[in-house]
Amino acid sequence: MRLRKPALIAIVVLAALLALAYTQRLYLLQYSLGWYTDIVNPRDPNRPVPWEAGPPTASQPPAQRPPNIIVIMADDLGINDVTTHGGGRTAEGVPTPHIDSIARDGVRFDQGYAGSAVCTVSRAALMTGRYPWRFGVEFTPTPGAMARVAGALYADPARIHPVVVDQEQASRSKDFNELGLPGAEQTVAELLKPRGYHTVHIGKWHLGSTPEMRPNKQGFDESLFMESGLYLPEKDARVVNSKQAFDPIDKFLWPNMRFGVSYNGGKWFEPSKYLTDYFTDEAVTAIQRNKHRPFFLFLAHWGVHTPLQASKADYDALPNIPDHRRRVYAAMVRSVDRSVGRVLQALKDEGLDDNTLVIFTSDNGAPGYIGIPDVNKPFRGWKLTMFQGGLRVPYAAKWPARMPAGQHYAQPISNIDILPTVLAAAGGELPTDRPIDGVNLLPFLQARPTATQAPRPLFWRDGPYRAVQDGSWKLISAERPKKQWLFDLQRDPTEQRNLAADQPLQLARLQALMTAHHASMPPPLWPSFIEMPISIDKTLDQKPLPQDEYTYWYN
């Protein structure tokens, strides 16, 4: 039976389109998440956030109320980005005086550790006071679209160690939005509410995006939720961009991230300005609206996470930095520090400074994939590694009414300690139906300390890639490569000398601690399907050599 000419033409055209789609399949997959977002979540123009108003007058003066509590968490901020800890940007004209002031007016934690070397797990530790693998949060959620293009994005002939992608596991994984903090967990916000706190979340969440996992169902009365990942639209006249052609993650972010937020789970809309400044404006407003009642504010900045985007005003203020990428990054650090200053000033303006506990930290160390070598100096490693560069983060707190200024706290502390400390400050009680791994630090930070923090091990876990630190000794254990690193941090704080072969007794002791800790942990709530090699001592744009030390991150 002969085909009519129009039908034949249609078949030829369809075949041509299918052939074109096949040849452009990587492009289509790489951009598909962004296109899907545009269809499902179109952004409205900016509109005012209808923050709830607290009482028009105070029933008690601030000094007689439970303290206000503010936790400010930067994203991927390296310890050397903060002057107090290192000062890597100071020589470039970007000191961090406002972050530094928290340490000066309160306590600098000399050994402040993230709960994990990556976002979600670290944030889950902060929210619950527990090691997140106790409730199955072990890996940071990854969009399935990332798995579909990861093999091609990471197909670099110069790569010595392969990226391993389990496409079958990826296909079985739940939707990205369904991966996060289980509703059965009790967050710091939930535990503060019985004490009369109004609870506010602003910024990044990364603990699940279903209605049951969003902040409003996890104890927060109000949430200004970062829905995607641009600081401003790419072509906006108010932004300066830096794209890293050597970074596969960067290649995925630019086509798929959008500029949008939502309030209390409503429709997406665009912020009014550069994202860090916008979140700061709204944080100041939330403080003003709640000045007559105790409040808990979790200000979770996206800065300085990629994509690297600076406000043009901050970029223009740094003409002395010749390298474009470093200039954009320094401008982003500048905006985060300015944000801290504006929040602190708002507390002073409202007469709340004395009786407000302010904590500043970062969710993990800075990544090597931005190509800036000194972000975690002097420590080895990056975000995604268990070396000090991935775990040691800026940590400072102040509460003028209760904590003397100028303290240096030498003992290791971690994200798991925030919930017990904050809850004690508010006069609350810890849950008794589950293990709480963190400790209340307040007794050790008062004018006349009533106790000394007892020694304890700290643990980190990412699939078979794990670490334990006990006293001055630290063990990192990896399956890919199958290797153990043992360090005496007292003598070797930058982890230069592996003592695994020289200290069998210490090695065995820490191995036993690690085995005992992980023996009763449940399986992860979702699987890892990407195994990615990370150079320990080189940024992603530096040429790898066979003798370079490396480790693998599981996600």
Side-chain angles (χ1 to χ4, degrees):
M1 179 174 160
R2 272 195 223 172
L3 290 172
R4 294 178 179 272
K5 189 174 181 179
L8 186 59
I9 292 172
I11 291 172
V12 171
V13 170
L14 178 60
L17 289 173
L18 290 173
L20 179 64
Y22 180 78
T23 59
Q24 298 297 316
R25 62 192 183 281
L26 177 59
Y27 175 88
L28 294 173
L29 288 171
Q30 189 175 349
Y31 281 74
S32 61
L33 181 61
W35 293 336
Y36 176 79
T37 300
D38 290 336
I39 295 169
V40 176
N41 291 298
R43 274 79 61 203
D44 285 346
N46 178 256
R47 58 174 177 265
V49 178
W51 295 111
E52 294 180 27
T57 58
S59 59
Q60 294 175 299
Q64 296 177 21
R65 301 197 301 255
N68 305 305
I69 298 163
I70 298 177
V71 175
I72 305 174
M73 176 170 270
D75 198 316
D76 289 2
L77 188 72
I79 195 166
N80 194 40
D81 293 328
V82 175
T83 316
T84 290
H85 295 281
R89 310 295 132 231
T90 305
E92 299 174 326
V94 188
T96 53
H98 304 298
I99 298 171
D100 302 337
S101 75
I102 299 176
R104 184 191 65 234
D105 297 340
V107 56
R108 161 184 161 167
F109 295 100
D110 292 331
Q111 292 193 72
Y113 286 92
S116 170
V118 71
C119 315
T120 291
V121 190
S122 183
R123 293 163 192 273
L126 184 150
M127 279 289 127
T128 63
R130 286 155 50 85
Y131 288 117
W133 39 94
R134 284 196 184 277
F135 44 88
V137 175
E138 189 166 338
F139 307 113
T140 281
T142 299
M146 180 69 177
R148 292 193 295 272
V149 300
L153 286 175
Y154 286 93
D156 181 355
R159 185 177 296 282
I160 297 174
H161 309 291
V163 173
V164 181
V165 182
D166 188 332
Q167 294 290 354
E168 185 179 345
Q169 280 281 36
S171 67
R172 293 202 302 265
S173 181
K174 292 181 180 179
D175 182 78
F176 174 78
N177 293 324
E178 298 176 28
L179 308 179
L181 184 65
E185 287 302 306
Q186 291 184 290
T187 69
V188 60
E190 288 176 286
L191 294 170
L192 286 172
K193 285 185 68 62
R195 298 294 301 161
Y197 278 78
H198 184 73
T199 53
V200 177
H201 158 262
I202 295 175
K204 181 173 177 177
W205 182 241
H206 211 175
L207 292 169
S209 293
T210 64
E212 295 75 22
M213 289 181 170
R214 283 179 174 251
N216 297 110
K217 287 297 181 73
Q218 301 277 18
F220 286 94
D221 296 305
E222 300 183 89
S223 172
L224 181 60
F225 192 99
M226 188 186 82
E227 293 285 4
S228 194
L230 290 182
Y231 294 85
L232 276 170
E234 181 182 342
K235 298 184 187 301
D236 194 296
R238 298 169 294 175
V239 74
V240 179
N241 307 307
S242 176
K243 295 185 178 182
Q244 281 60 256
F246 55 83
D247 177 19
I249 294 175
D250 207 54
K251 292 178 182 178
F252 183 80
L253 292 179
W254 284 102
N256 291 300
M257 296 294 100
R258 297 296 185 262
F259 186 53
V261 296
S262 67
Y263 171 73
N264 283 357
K267 192 175 179 182
W268 291 25
F269 61 94
E270 291 197 342
S272 60
K273 59 174 67 170
Y274 182 73
L275 196 63
T276 305
D277 293 328
Y278 172 73
F279 285 154
T280 306
D281 287 352
E282 298 302 332
V284 169
T285 300
I287 290 169
Q288 293 168 342
R289 292 287 181 92
N290 292 284
K291 62 184 177 182
H292 295 314
R293 61 180 172 185
F295 63 82
F296 169 56
L297 169 62
F298 179 40
L299 175 54
H301 277 302
W302 185 225
V304 292
H305 196 290
T306 54
L308 297 186
Q309 292 185 289
S311 74
K312 190 172 185 303
D314 283 322
Y315 185 85
D316 289 347
L318 301 173
N320 55 300
I321 303 177
D323 181 80
H324 175 70
R325 186 193 318 149
R326 293 183 73 98
R327 184 172 172 182
V328 169
Y329 185 80
M332 296 173 76
V333 173
R334 188 176 193 259
S335 71
V336 171
D337 185 69
R338 179 175 61 251
S339 172
V340 172
R342 291 188 57 210
V343 169
L344 297 178
Q345 187 60 49
L347 294 173
K348 292 177 182 176
D349 293 344
E350 302 301 336
L352 303 174
D353 176 60
D354 195 53
N355 198 32
T356 298
L357 170 58
V358 180
I359 301 171
F360 178 87
T361 189
S362 175
D363 61 346
N364 44 250
Y369 54 72
I370 60 174
I372 301 177
D374 60 351
V375 283
N376 298 319
K377 188 179 179 181
F379 301 114
R380 293 180 76 191
W382 318 99
K383 172 187 179 179
L384 314 181
T385 79
M386 302 290 187
F387 285 78
Q388 295 289 81
L391 298 171
R392 285 281 287 270
V393 290
Y395 241 114
K398 72 165 194 162
W399 183 9
R402 290 281 301 275
M403 289 165 39
Q407 297 186 68
H408 280 235
Y409 193 76
Q411 296 298 316
I413 65 109
S414 166
N415 287 11
I416 57 176
D417 300 325
I418 287 184
L419 181 144
T421 302
V422 161
L423 199 58
E429 297 291 332
L430 288 173
T432 56
D433 63 341
R434 64 196 68 199
I436 300 295
D437 296 298
V439 300
N440 169 22
L441 300 174
L442 285 184
F444 322 128
L445 301 173
Q446 301 177 81
R448 294 185 179 85
T450 57
T452 301
Q453 183 183 335
R456 51 151 181 188
L458 291 175
F459 297 93
W460 296 272
R461 168 169 166 155
D462 175 41
Y465 182 39
R466 298 173 183 179
V468 58
Q469 183 171 318
D470 186 42
S472 67
W473 289 94
K474 179 180 173 185
L475 173 65
I476 303 171
S477 179
E479 283 297 312
R480 190 192 290 265
K482 195 165 185 63
K483 184 171 181 176
Q484 295 184 315
W485 291 269
L486 178 69
F487 300 108
D488 180 355
L489 297 178
Q490 183 174 352
R491 294 181 174 85
D492 180 22
T494 60
E495 300 173 314
Q496 301 298 317
R497 186 182 175 199
N498 184 1
L499 300 175
D502 302 329
Q503 294 285 343
L505 294 180
Q506 288 292 351
L507 179 64
R509 184 179 73 84
L510 267 66
Q511 286 174 327
L513 282 176
M514 193 180 286
T515 299
H517 172 77
H518 294 289
S520 61
M521 299 302 168
L525 290 174
W526 60 88
S528 161
F529 54 77
I530 297 178
E531 299 176 35
M532 187 181 303
I534 310 291
S535 173
I536 296 167
D537 298 305
K538 287 183 175 177
T539 56
L540 192 59
D541 60 335
Q542 294 175 314
K543 183 180 179 180
L545 297 173
Q547 64 267 31
D548 293 341
E549 283 199 282
Y550 69 99
T551 187
Y552 266 75
W553 168 61
Y554 295 76
N555 200 36

